[in-house]
Amino acid sequence: MKVLLVDLGNTRIKWARLGPRGVGRQKAAAHAGWQAADFSRALFGSAARDALASGIRVVAVSVASEPLRRAFAAAVRAATGRAPLFCTSVKLAGGVRNAYREPWRLGADRWIALVGARALCSPAPALVVDIGTATTLDLLDGRGVHRGGAILPGPALMIESLLRDTGGIRRRAGGAARGRRPFARDTASALAAGALHGTAAAIDRAFAQARRELRSRSLRLILTGGAAAAIAPLLIARASLVPDLVLQGLAVLAPPKTAD
């Protein structure tokens, strides 16, 4: 049976096929305003009507709104004849132990990213950072135990909140940002600089603290999410970019009988 892995986020959807050699090439799109037909076209294309005959199983994680999740699920059912399998946060899976007292409260995308990081990094510990609408940081020790994490606004959300809630900055922020130097010479660039360098500083501080807490020189820093590539060059710590980390985690949790 063929498997399609799907990460349905707050603003973007990412997907890839799972085959004998692992996760295929990731595709992504912004899903603002999408209905079931839009999901069907993106995920199945002209083969949507033939998906049922070809035996596709969809394994997904979603942190999107409930209406969007329903539209996605309807598209999958229409194309494949079965509902998507949604992976959620649990106490133990994929070699990872959840630190939350109530495991379901850990965002499902964070949980699946930890499973992906464990598969990629074991036995080394890892600080997993997902930089999207929100920036999440989660620490995984060498035994696969989640030590906890932190959440802060993503770079774009930082800028958006300042533009929304500070009239003086909003009036002066016309034009495009120029460059990413920390000391900008116009308001738009200063907003971008503050958001990017502030995010990078938070990650570097968390990485240093994690190394002290674990007493480990082998700690890996794993970056994923839409803004990860913009942040990576600003870091002091050396980081690995893994754009499809959540899909890698879904591949670990996909039911064995559904793999090609």
Side-chain angles (χ1 to χ4, degrees), residues 16-102:
R17 289 289 182 94
L18 175 61
R21 297 181 181 179
V23 179
R25 185 173 66 87
Q26 176 178 275
K27 299 179 182 179
H31 56 56
W34 277 23
Q35 304 296 323
D38 302 297
F39 285 112
S40 182
R41 279 192 295 271
L43 299 177
F44 305 105
S46 59
R49 285 176 294 182
D50 302 323
L52 180 58
S54 61
I56 295 176
R57 183 65 194 268
V58 176
V59 179
V61 61
S62 173
V63 295
S65 67
E66 190 56 33
L68 202 70
R69 177 175 164 140
R70 286 198 298 268
F72 164 75
V76 172
R77 283 195 301 271
T80 69
R82 55 174 65 88
L85 172 62
F86 285 106
C87 293
T88 58
S89 300
V90 295
K91 188 66 179 178
L92 178 66
V96 179
R97 183 172 293 278
N98 197 324
Y100 274 32
R101 296 182 184 89
E102 297 177 276

Side-chain angles (χ1 to χ4, degrees), residues 167-231:
I169 290 177
R170 184 170 60 250
R171 288 194 301 273
R172 294 169 174 82
R178 299 176 180 87
R180 296 171 182 167
R181 60 192 306 271
F183 304 109
R185 297 179 181 178
D186 63 82
T187 302
S189 299
L191 285 167
L196 294 173
H197 286 273
T199 299
I203 295 169
D204 275 324
R205 182 183 177 93
F207 185 75
Q209 177 62 35
R211 290 182 73 173
R212 289 193 295 270
E213 182 172 321
L214 298 181
R215 299 179 182 177
S216 172
R217 304 290 296 181
S218 62
L219 179 66
R220 297 274 304 277
L221 177 57
I222 307 296
L223 301 187
T224 193
I231 297 297

Side-chain angles (χ1 to χ4, degrees), residues 252-260:
V252 173
L253 300 178
K257 290 184 180 180
T258 66
D260 282 351

Side-chain angles (χ1 to χ4, degrees), residues 149-180:
I151 305 172
L152 61 150
L157 192 56
M158 291 183 190
I159 294 171
E160 180 184 319
S161 65
L162 285 168
L163 290 174
R164 182 185 65 242
D165 297 331
T166 54
I169 290 177
R170 184 170 60 250
R171 288 194 301 273
R172 294 169 174 82
R178 299 176 180 87
R180 296 171 182 167

